[in-house]
Amino acid sequence: MSTQEPFTIEQFYKFLSQDKLMVGKCLKCGKIHLPPRPLCDSCYGIQFEWMQISGKGKLLTYTVIHIAPTQFQNLAPYAIGILELDGGLKIPGMIQEIPPEQLKIGMDLHVAFGACDASQNWPQWTKYCLKP
């Protein structure tokens, strides 16, 4: 899937609000960028196309938050992790639907949209989380 939408972080979050995980592919060298950007950090190309990716991957690393900022205290303890997507891209996110003590490096997770537990209004962008 490709579209002519701008290659900005704002557009990336608009796609997330549509339940789509989109990346920018440089048309000059083929490098995939997540999050997308207007300038390729490999060849300095400025022409991109949007591509939708699955959001499936393996847990690369995580940490468990026991003492949370005010807006997340009702969720503590909770885990934040980095998911290595198929193809080597990485995306951070809050891990849900699995107790922190059951997390294992290398376990299969996916990017989930919409139904993520976040009772606060912060951050203001579209929310996603990582789930088994």
Side-chain angles (χ1 to χ4, degrees):
M1 172 183 193
S2 66
T3 107
Q4 295 301 315
E5 300 297 336
F7 292 92
T8 62
I9 197 69
E10 291 83 9
Q11 185 60 46
F12 173 72
Y13 283 114
K14 284 181 186 176
F15 283 132
L16 287 177
S17 73
Q18 299 166 8
D19 296 346
K20 298 176 188 174
L21 183 57
M22 302 291 281
V23 296
K25 179 180 179 182
C26 176
L27 294 175
K28 186 175 177 184
C29 73
K31 183 173 181 184
I32 306 294
H33 295 88
L34 177 68
R37 61 201 67 182
L39 179 70
C40 179
D41 63 3
S42 181
C43 72
Y44 304 109
I46 58 171
Q47 294 184 321
F48 294 86
E49 68 179 347
W50 285 107
M51 290 179 33
Q52 187 170 1
I53 59 173
S54 74
K56 295 179 182 178
K58 298 200 178 289
L59 184 61
L60 185 64
T61 189
Y62 69 93
T63 189
V64 178
I65 308 297
H66 292 276
I67 301 173
T70 304
Q71 62 269 35
F72 296 111
Q73 285 180 355
N74 64 322
L75 299 175
Y78 60 90
I80 300 291
I82 296 178
L83 185 65
E84 184 168 15
L85 301 167
D86 298 338
L89 298 171
K90 297 172 182 75
I91 189 168
M94 185 180 289
I95 303 169
Q96 296 188 345
E97 295 186 2
I98 185 165
E101 61 273 8
Q102 292 181 14
L103 292 172
K104 302 280 186 233
I105 299 297
M107 72 185 308
D108 292 328
L109 295 175
H110 71 277
V111 175
F113 305 98
C116 300
D117 184 18
S119 59
Q120 302 296 324
N121 291 328
W122 184 91
Q124 294 297 319
W125 57 78
T126 301
K127 294 166 185 72
Y128 66 89
C129 58
L130 309 177
K131 293 184 178 182

